[in-house]
Amino acid sequence: MFKTLTINNFRGIRFAQINQLQRVNLFFGKNNCGKSTVLEALFLITGQSNPLLPLSVNSMRNHTRYTEQDLKTEFYQLNPDNHIKITLSGDETRELEISFFVSHANTVNLRKIDAGSSDSQIKSYGLKLDFSEGNPAERFSSELIIKKGDSGNGKTSIDKRYTERIRSLYLPANYYNPTTPSQLANIIVNKQENEILEPLREIDPNIRDIQLVGSDVLVDIGAKQRLPFNMMGDGLRKLLTIIVSIHQCKDGVLLIDEIDNGFHFSAMKVLWKAILKAAVENNVQLFISTHNIDSIKGLASILSDSNYQRYQKEVAAFKLLRKNDGEVIALKYDYPSFIYSVNQQQEMR
């Protein structure tokens, strides 16, 4: 597992260091304290060879423009001189540096010279990713290249010497995993569907079974026919997505932004029980953000349950505080301090 995350010059974070990470890591704090940015930094470094990931995290924020100025939003204070550096250490150490570049082609199209401009060269711009895994002296690099004036298209250059070994998945705030049917098929083949049905039934006791017919997920709730699972409530659909995603990321990393979105407060205990059990059984390290006190209270309640006390050392909670100079401080709560703060109704958001 990873134990320490360090972020330099990524989005609104000038510097952040988060220590003593555990299997399940919960980030909370006020709006704009950096919770989503921390998850996005983790996503970048767990897929560090892919130069399209910076665009992916933009698109998850519904930002789908790729001009020079848009790419500069990745950097602290929109200044590409502030190179991004992300380090993740633990069982292995990873280092990722991201820089912005502008280049000129060696050839020009003489038929398209702008007579009113002194600059007739073809410009390209993009992002360069320099990274390492294990041995910091062995460096790899990948690039995203976009021709100026044609930001709707681009090309990538990916270092073929490097093979990514970590399976990582990011679930944004309004998530529904489109790969759920294919991953659910693997769970059913391996006779693990009870791991899904048990928490689903805690929310809706009418659920009898869940089946995959072609690419359709169907659920039996006692009616004459099985219903498409998409017809069920938002909370049930998201619960299914989270559990299936944990299985999908076996021996890897799962990132979940605003986990409480779509869940009634009464379902939070069910959700946390399912997450803790699935994370340990599938050896998945989770990084989760929340803005809801009910989510925090739900986790505290489950960890206090005698049936789930064995998970207490698997969980760490971090309150993120942003300073005026762009530094984000992570205050760590281990189990005793976490429970004390919740019970004393101290400010946890």
Side-chain angles (χ1 to χ4, degrees):
M1 290 193 299
F2 295 109
K3 291 296 184 180
T4 300
L5 170 69
T6 305
I7 303 171
N8 291 275
N9 296 324
F10 180 51
R11 297 195 188 279
I13 298 179
R14 178 186 59 81
F15 175 77
Q17 184 167 343
I18 305 176
N19 300 309
Q20 296 180 301
L21 296 168
Q22 299 299 328
R23 179 174 302 281
V24 178
N25 303 279
L26 181 66
F27 302 115
F28 59 92
K30 294 181 179 179
N31 289 338
N32 204 38
C33 68
K35 299 186 295 293
S36 296
T37 302
V38 167
L39 294 185
E40 290 165 346
L42 284 159
F43 189 45
L44 293 181
I45 197 167
T46 53
Q48 58 187 1
S49 64
N50 185 352
L52 292 177
L53 287 190
L55 303 188
S56 295
V57 296
N58 282 356
S59 66
M60 287 186 285
R61 291 176 179 252
N62 295 317
H63 187 85
T64 55
R65 297 192 307 270
Y66 312 117
T67 66
E68 288 184 64
Q69 193 59 37
D70 292 311
L71 293 191
K72 291 177 182 178
T73 61
E74 306 294 331
F75 301 88
Y76 180 64
Q77 294 185 330
L78 284 74
N79 184 356
D81 290 337
N82 297 323
H83 289 188
I84 297 166
K85 184 175 181 180
I86 306 169
T87 304
L88 194 55
S89 60
D91 294 341
E92 65 177 65
T93 298
R94 293 174 160 233
E95 292 184 357
L96 169 65
E97 295 186 34
I98 304 177
S99 57
F100 178 84
F101 67 85
V102 177
S103 63
H104 297 82
N106 293 325
T107 60
V108 296
N109 187 334
L110 297 178
R111 291 185 296 274
K112 293 187 178 181
I113 292 179
D114 186 349
S117 172
S118 62
D119 185 359
S120 61
Q121 291 183 304
I122 299 174
K123 292 182 179 179
S124 296
Y125 60 92
L127 299 174
K128 183 177 181 182
L129 284 62
D130 291 294
F131 53 94
S132 66
E133 179 189 39
N135 180 7
E138 186 178 12
R139 305 292 295 184
F140 306 91
S141 64
S142 299
E143 291 184 344
L144 167 68
I145 306 166
I146 300 173
K147 188 169 71 174
K148 188 169 184 177
D150 188 19
S151 60
N153 294 288
K155 63 179 181 178
T156 59
S157 172
I158 300 176
D159 202 319
K160 294 182 172 60
R161 298 173 300 156
Y162 180 83
T163 301
E164 185 54 72
R165 297 185 297 106
I166 292 181
R167 178 171 294 181
S168 175
L169 183 64
Y170 187 107
L171 299 181
N174 297 314
Y175 53 81
Y176 177 72
N177 185 2
T179 64
T180 296
S182 61
Q183 295 304 319
L184 181 59
N186 293 331
I187 294 172
I188 293 174
V189 167
N190 293 320
K191 297 183 177 180
Q192 297 174 306
E193 58 266 32
N194 281 337
E195 297 178 23
I196 295 173
L197 287 171
E198 183 178 342
L200 294 180
R201 286 169 178 159
E202 286 196 55
I203 296 178
D204 187 342
N206 292 318
I207 294 177
R208 299 183 179 183
D209 74 1
I210 188 168
Q211 295 292 329
L212 191 64
V213 179
S215 59
D216 295 325
V217 180
L218 303 179
V219 60
D220 182 358
I221 59 171
K224 292 182 179 180
Q225 292 182 323
R226 288 186 173 89
L227 294 177
F229 199 84
N230 282 350
M231 300 300 294
M232 305 299 288
D234 199 34
L236 281 171
R237 291 189 294 112
K238 291 188 175 182
L239 177 58
L240 176 64
T241 295
I242 290 173
I243 300 173
V244 170
S245 296
I246 293 175
H247 282 262
Q248 181 180 352
C249 294
K250 183 176 177 62
D251 300 322
V253 171
L254 178 62
L255 313 159
I256 308 174
D257 197 13
E258 296 188 15
I259 191 170
D260 41 82
N261 265 15
F263 287 102
H264 189 265
F265 72 90
S266 62
M268 295 311 304
K269 293 182 183 179
V270 176
L271 175 63
W272 283 116
K273 286 193 292 185
I275 284 177
L276 294 171
K277 181 178 179 182
V280 171
E281 291 180 352
N282 290 277
N283 188 32
V284 176
Q285 189 169 17
L286 276 79
F287 299 90
I288 300 167
S289 76
T290 184
H291 66 284
N292 192 319
I293 191 62
D294 291 321
S295 174
I296 296 171
K297 289 180 177 179
L299 176 58
S301 176
I302 292 303
L303 292 176
S304 302
D305 188 318
S306 59
N307 294 318
Y308 291 87
Q309 289 179 355
R310 64 187 184 277
Y311 296 113
Q312 290 174 2
K313 293 183 178 180
E314 303 279 358
V315 177
F318 300 89
K319 182 175 183 176
L320 302 185
L321 302 172
R322 183 194 296 276
K323 298 172 63 177
N324 291 334
D325 64 355
E327 180 180 0
V328 171
I329 298 173
L331 302 179
K332 180 179 182 294
Y333 292 70
D334 57 13
Y335 172 73
S337 58
F338 182 69
I339 294 299
Y340 176 82
S341 297
V342 172
N343 289 340
Q344 295 298 315
Q345 297 185 356
Q346 294 183 1
E347 179 59 52
M348 296 286 290
R349 287 177 288 183

